[in-house]
Amino acid sequence: MRALFAFSGTRIRLMRIGAGRATVYQMSRPRPRVGALLALAVVATLLPVGPSSVRAGEGLVTLMDATYDVLPEEARVHVAIDAVSTSLEEDAPEGPVYYAGISLNIPPGSSNVSASSGSTPLEITVTPIADAIRVDVGFSEQVFLDDSYHYQVVFDLVDEGGAADRDFRIGHSIVAFPVWAFGTPGEDGNSVAVRLPAAFEPSVYGGPLEQTTDADGALRLSADVVNPQDWFAYVTAERPGIFTEVPFNLAVGDRDASLIVRAWDDDPDWGNRIRSLLTDGLPALHELVGLDWPVAGDLKVEESANRLGDYAGIYNRVTEQINVRYDADATVTLHEAAHVWFNDDLFADRWIGEAWAEFYAVHSAQAIGVTGETFTLTDDLLAAQIPLNDWGEIGAESQDVEAYAYAASYHLAELISERTDFAGLRAVWRAAASDEMAYQPIHATGDPQTEQATNQAGWQVLLDLLEERTGADYDDLWVTWVADDREADLLATRAATRERYLATVSEAGAWELPEAVRADLGAWQFDDVADSLDTADRVLGLAAELDELADELELEPPNQLRVAFEGSDGLDAALTEVNKELFALEQINDATDGLAADPDPVEWLGLLFSEPEVELDAARTTWEAGDHGSAGEHAEAVLTILDEADDHGRERLGIGGVVLLLGAGVVAVVWRRRNAPDDPEATIPPPDEAVEEAA
């Protein structure tokens, strides 16, 4: 949607071209007190009775009823001003005084000007002046103190044709013209009325004018006016349903776009201009935005006027129809066309759609060489500043706030674009259109991960996507332009949480943080993220200990911990996994240290015929295979064998005679096997020495 009141230049002239006003003229020298008279909507001509010099006062009060009769089939408005002037001018000591005429200003371009009093034509002089035409009317009789003089001034406002955006336009589809009021300021009795054929639907800017229906069915817009010099209205009226449809197709990217331009049947130039503009503009918009053409059926573009209210254009994404004012410029039309992409389907917040529709309208206009008015953020508009997140729905805000929000949202879009480029923005729009998670896996190379709908607002999603897809920071812009006080606090929490998240990402190295953590961060569930990062830090800390110990033992850690860390079962499952793996690895370390110690003779005797090395090898193999339960059992078996070696040795000494009967050869073979299997020169102690040591 594009706001009409936000225009400058031509659009401001639509709002107020100027009010009918006049200056006093008289036959004698003016009195010193003429300041107030200069503001009158009418001017009296004062004449003395005799030759003495009598200065004019403010004694002529003129009440005027102006009726604007709209004649569409004749392309003109006929204006009739019924007036009565009453002299309140006191006679001078030199004799009575009277008024001989009056002067009033009428709109520029007025023609067929005449004046009469009853059936008597009055002499007039018509003089073009700045922004008006001055009409000097001579009375047919002298107006003395307490006399009232009735007369009528008539003229036509004729539509001479020309550009579609002309301020004065009278046709059977659309009428648009200024309405002035006339009469003495501060007096009750002045009025304005506009008569329209019944088929027209009017809209009034300024005024106000009250709508009623005359006996002949014509619409009447009327108002009593106390201060004509300050009163002004601009009336547009539209006769619905008289259109000429022009369908056409064009390529927008690799899609075929089907359009129907609906122009008033008496305004073919508008239809031709819009078709030419969209033929160039839609492909330019597509190239800049980077999204496919989204309209499945026909996009209808319809010429409009008063049905838009205070707006120059409206896009309806349900009906896939754009309504554009007949006098709108190229930027307005491209703005509404950009809403095909930038609407509630992409981001729900109003300011986002308006910001980027205007941004791409301006830049596509530049690309194809057309011009139009753009929103400008002035100091006056800044006086109505609100957080853009507080911008209400259409009709909920004052015109000052509306004008500020349109200009500020476009200004913000330009500020954002200064921190990235069109390619970066295209990545953001593609991510939003595809429902991509804002926080993707750091090392991912496949298709982006998508997510289910979350409760975060559009402004939150846009900020995350901008920062994650373009690599720049924008939260300061959100604090300045977007967020209210409560949301600013939320942004501070977000900044701290993101900083900690990025630190954990760095600590995780090649590992990805779980999707649940990234989803919570994208959903702005910062308490949940903090809890998850606490657990992640514990897991990563224990994983570092595990890697260090595994390196010492020359073991390759299994992949289960990484799978658990990155998986969907939660970081608590990863914490359980790392604790189990670390516990089993510590058991293997204890078993390794136990086997590395030299046994005493009794333990040596107890270890005869046992194979703890086999159990240790099994522990190492199963741990690397990820079976930390079995690894722990094998390591525990090693420790059990070592713990029981002394007892078993003493038991064997208890039956030492049997052992001695075995002979030195048997003992020597066993000892050699356990202590020097590869050294043929190894010394084998005699069995009696071993027995004596044990004893």
Side-chain angles (χ1 to χ4, degrees), residues 3 206 295 477 533 578 628 687 693:
V295 182
L477 297 179
L533 293 179
V578 72
H628 44 70
E693 278 186 34

Side-chain angles (χ1 to χ4, degrees), residues 500 503-505 507-509 511-514 517 530-548 557-567 569-583:
R500 187 178 174 199
T504 303
V505 166
E507 183 183 356
W511 292 9
E512 301 288 358
L513 262 66
V517 176
D531 291 342
S532 295
L533 293 179
D534 284 343
T535 305
D537 289 343
R538 291 175 60 192
V539 172
L540 292 172
L542 291 171
E545 293 181 21
L546 185 145
D547 287 342
E548 182 178 0
N559 200 43
Q560 272 99 325
L561 178 55
R562 178 174 182 172
V563 171
F565 184 85
E566 296 177 342
D569 291 338
L571 286 167
D572 285 339
L575 184 60
T576 299
E577 176 69 22
V578 72
N579 279 320
K580 289 181 178 179
E581 290 188 15
L582 185 58
F583 180 74

Side-chain angles (χ1 to χ4, degrees), residues 563-692:
V563 171
F565 184 85
E566 296 177 342
S568 60
D569 291 338
L571 286 167
D572 285 339
L575 184 60
T576 299
E577 176 69 22
V578 72
N579 279 320
K580 289 181 178 179
E581 290 188 15
L582 185 58
F583 180 74
L585 188 60
E586 288 172 343
Q587 288 179 302
I588 293 173
N589 185 57
D590 291 343
T592 301
D593 289 344
L595 278 179
D598 291 331
D600 61 30
V602 175
E603 292 172 337
W604 170 85
L605 188 61
L607 292 172
L608 288 175
F609 309 110
S610 65
E611 297 182 330
E613 296 90 344
V614 174
E615 292 290 346
L616 181 59
D617 287 342
R620 291 170 61 89
T621 300
T622 53
W623 189 86
E624 287 186 321
D627 188 356
H628 44 70
S630 295
E633 292 174 359
H634 287 296
E636 187 63 30
V638 173
L639 295 173
T640 300
I641 291 171
L642 295 176
D643 288 343
E644 295 176 349
D646 185 78
D647 292 339
H648 290 165
R650 292 183 184 279
E651 289 175 1
R652 288 169 178 167
L653 285 175
I655 54 175
V658 176
V659 174
L660 290 175
L661 288 174
L662 294 175
V666 176
V667 175
V669 171
V670 174
W671 179 265
R672 179 174 178 175
R673 186 183 65 189
R674 287 198 50 79
N675 291 278
D678 299 322
D679 186 359
E681 303 299 330
T683 301
I684 303 175
D688 57 338
E689 292 181 11
V691 173
E692 289 175 1

Side-chain angles (χ1 to χ4, degrees), residues 456-544:
Q456 74 271 41
W459 65 274
Q460 296 168 303
V461 176
L462 177 57
L463 178 58
D464 283 344
L465 289 177
L466 278 168
E467 294 194 335
E468 287 298 302
R469 297 304 185 270
T470 72
D473 293 328
Y474 303 90
D475 54 349
D476 60 315
L477 297 179
W478 258 240
V479 170
T480 301
W481 299 101
V482 176
D484 59 25
D485 291 342
R486 180 187 60 81
E487 292 162 344
D489 292 340
L490 186 61
L491 286 169
T493 303
R494 172 186 180 273
T497 305
R498 273 175 52 87
E499 182 177 1
R500 187 178 174 199
Y501 165 79
L502 293 175
T504 303
V505 166
S506 177
E507 183 183 356
W511 292 9
E512 301 288 358
L513 262 66
E515 180 178 338
V517 176
R518 292 181 282 106
D520 284 343
L521 186 57
W524 293 41
Q525 302 298 314
F526 300 130
D527 288 343
D528 292 342
V529 174
D531 291 342
S532 295
L533 293 179
D534 284 343
T535 305
D537 289 343
R538 291 175 60 192
V539 172
L540 292 172
L542 291 171

